[in-house]
Amino acid sequence: MKTLATLARSLCLLLVATAAHAAPPNIEDFQRPPAFSGPVLSPDGRHIAAIVNPDGKTTALAVIATDKPDEATPLKAFGQADIRSVYWIDNERLAFTVRPRVDGEGRAIGAGLWTLDRNGGNLRQWVNPTTRGSGENTPQAKRALDANWSLFQAPDVGRPGELVLRHYVGDGRGELSYVELARLNPATGERQLLTEGAPDHVMNWVLDAAGNPAFAFSTNGRGGSVVHWRTPERRWAVWHEVASGEPNRRPLAIDRAGRLYLLVNENGRMALHRSDSLAPDAPTTRLVGSNVYSVWPQLLRDADGDDLIGVQFEADVPQTAWFAPALAAAQAEIDRRLPGAANLISCQRCLAVPTVLVTSFSDRRPVRYFLFNRETGQLTGLASSMPWMPEGRPRQVASTAARDGLRLPLVITHPALPAPGPAPTVLLVHGGPWVRGNFWEWQAEPQFYASRGYLVLEADFRGSAGYGVRHLRAGDKQWGLKMQDDLDDAVDWAVKQGLTDPKRVCIVGASYGGYAALMGLSRGRVACAVAGLAPTDLTKLTSRHWADFGQESQTYSLPRYLGDPVADAALLKANSPIQLVDQLQGPLLMLYGALDTRVPLAHGTELRDALTAAGRPPEFVAYPNEGHGFYKWEHRQDAWRRTEAFLARYLAPRD
């Protein structure tokens, strides 16, 4: 492991480095961990704490004085452990989380918690991520807590110096039963349990301005959601309940004036509202919303007055709605100086301290960080997250209509050095599938394919989150059906636009994306497929004997969203790739984790064996000691090398 002195020299070079590449970046360049990430500004604006990894191996915590941004002091190196996030407890002390990259079975595990002084002294560990169930979890325990504990909330406005921890409590059968909270005083080591007498099966909490639980979120045991609140009489009662899915009113935060910030369902899309009361029937005022996107905001509150000064959220691109004129003016000037980027401002004492931190997102380059002084107007470069990367290809945000009229959001990454005419295309399908997959900013995987000469097409098909309930629920029981139609419709759009050669499309994805790759190949509309971690038998995915979903998900959520294992048995069977061996014609690369519990290896080996028996053996790799995802660097690189060679063999531009 490098010494801190060597890291300091490397970091000084990092802070001024710029990329200069003639040839396309190699796989290691794309997959190398960020050299600079997670910076946070101290409350007084005088220091930045950040995670640095200049050699790609040795992670360290560094502190940078904002008046000397080209210098940095690494405080602690953790070798093969990743520092995941950093927080200021006050101007002189830091908290940070550390996670070993993989455990003995190749899986990422929980994040440990440490604190130390800004000068590097007084280092103390509070949570050990490599132990589970071995610590004594009483409020006065002095030993490090086990991996069932983690940081729930860093010091919040009005409560400096205080950390709140969450404790995951199981039911003895491997199922998560509930989450409790404890307040930690890192100066004394004292812990105070906060959630005694709370409702059963609470999974999340909202604290009031004094740091006490005010709202609790649980399931109703039948696939629905319940929001509880602590009434003015200090007893817990139901505040809001829905029979299925997420709540239509979701509290987010409470300020010192007792005002509630909450998400409210507006025609199926979530919008940010404010109420002057915590009561369930209190009127609300809309602050931020969208007719296209559900808003999942980050609230920006000034540490001095606790006023809401802005809201950051993502629509087509990351953006901020400012309520403070001084910050709105700073935003306008920063955007003028950094055009073509989404520039997010962060600060704590935002109105009193002139220095702010700027995180600059672009579609063509990894994140860059700057300092901006609101009084002098000086914009100073701080660091690039991946300074070795050259400028990538532009990413175009678009949309089209599915065959039934549903809006399909798209992102297109244009190929490097495009040849005349339609391009060979990678149809990149996100996993989940009940997540948002499309984001405008620079992404390693699509930029990698674009650097190799392919156009990359991504679609948030029905069933994807982030666009409202109608878009999400339109995917119910549509695996292999309308969800797959959406991907075909996205390709048809790209062909009509003159972007895509319809005879040279390869569908690539992992998890649900791997399933979609197999189903796309079975339809005969693509030239090849790369299926990672792909379910091949939907009856296994819904079976209590095969799946690792919780009991409530298996009983209520999966039957509703994917299909009931009894009532929809024929549907699940008909849309399982293992039943479509005769239709799976064409080149196929399959990648699996040998210890995957979400999609056990049998999904892959059974289809591999069936295709081999049919005389069409796929390329097949099962990585040892890996679960539902490839965590070891050598495995990730190998998977990309195989994919690169596979695409070059079956999709590369022809003379």
Side-chain angles (χ1 to χ4, degrees), residues 393-394 412-419 423-424 449-456 499:
R393 300 301 300 154
I412 303 94
T413 308
H414 294 273
L417 301 176
Y449 298 135
S451 74
R452 269 55 182 171
Y454 308 111
L455 182 131
V456 185
L499 300 173

Side-chain angles (χ1 to χ4, degrees), residues 398-429:
S399 66
T400 187
R403 61 193 66 180
D404 63 358
L406 186 73
R407 179 181 181 273
L408 296 179
L410 307 171
V411 174
I412 303 94
T413 308
H414 294 273
L417 301 176
T425 295
V426 171
L427 175 59
L428 184 59
V429 186

Side-chain angles (χ1 to χ4, degrees), residues 425-429 484 487-488 491 504-509 512-522 525-532 587-589 646-647 651:
T425 295
V426 171
L427 175 59
L428 184 59
V429 186
Q484 203 71 35
L487 298 175
D488 291 343
V491 172
R504 289 186 291 163
V505 177
C506 194
I507 184 168
V508 178
Y512 173 82
Y515 165 84
L518 294 173
M519 295 301 291
L521 191 65
S522 76
R525 288 180 50 107
V526 296
C528 57
V530 179
L588 172 62
L589 171 62
F646 182 85
L647 294 175
L651 197 65

Side-chain angles (χ1 to χ4, degrees), residues 310-503:
V311 176
Q312 290 175 349
F313 61 98
E314 181 141 6
D316 285 346
V317 300
Q319 56 191 268
T320 307
W322 288 108
F323 307 127
L327 275 300
Q331 182 76 64
E333 178 61 18
I334 292 167
D335 291 343
R336 186 186 69 81
R337 306 269 286 277
L338 298 173
N343 306 301
L344 301 185
I345 294 173
S346 59
C347 47
Q348 293 196 49
R349 300 182 61 211
C350 301
L351 300 178
V353 174
T355 300
V356 299
L357 173 67
V358 180
T359 301
S360 185
F361 295 91
S362 166
D363 60 334
R364 302 188 185 201
R365 65 177 73 208
V367 178
R368 296 179 297 164
Y369 302 98
F370 298 83
L371 294 171
F372 180 73
N373 188 299
R374 294 191 292 108
E375 293 179 348
T376 66
Q378 183 176 3
L379 181 70
T380 305
L382 181 59
S384 171
S385 60
M386 301 173 73
W388 54 86
M389 291 298 298
E391 184 171 296
R393 300 301 300 154
R395 285 167 62 77
Q396 173 189 352
V397 177
S399 66
T400 187
R403 61 193 66 180
D404 63 358
L406 186 73
R407 179 181 181 273
L408 296 179
L410 307 171
V411 174
I412 303 94
T413 308
H414 294 273
L417 301 176
T425 295
V426 171
L427 175 59
L428 184 59
V429 186
H430 69 73
W434 305 291
V435 298
R436 179 175 172 177
N438 284 2
F439 298 95
W440 166 81
E441 62 261 27
W442 188 94
Q443 303 280 326
E445 188 173 7
Q447 289 288 351
F448 169 65
Y449 298 135
S451 74
R452 269 55 182 171
Y454 308 111
L455 182 131
V456 185
L457 177 61
E458 300 171 81
D460 266 334
F461 45 85
R462 70 191 67 213
S464 301
Y467 304 94
V469 172
R470 177 173 177 253
H471 194 90
L472 182 67
R473 293 283 71 86
D476 289 357
K477 300 184 182 181
Q478 293 300 314
W479 283 43
L481 300 171
K482 291 183 179 180
M483 292 168 73
Q484 203 71 35
D485 292 343
D486 291 346
L487 298 175
D488 291 343
D489 293 344
V491 172
D492 289 343
W493 174 87
V495 171
K496 291 178 182 178
Q497 299 295 313
L499 300 173
T500 289
D501 181 345
K503 295 183 179 180

Side-chain angles (χ1 to χ4, degrees), residues 17-31:
T18 58
H21 282 263
N26 58 35
I27 289 174
E28 291 78 6
D29 287 336
F30 281 101
Q31 293 193 343

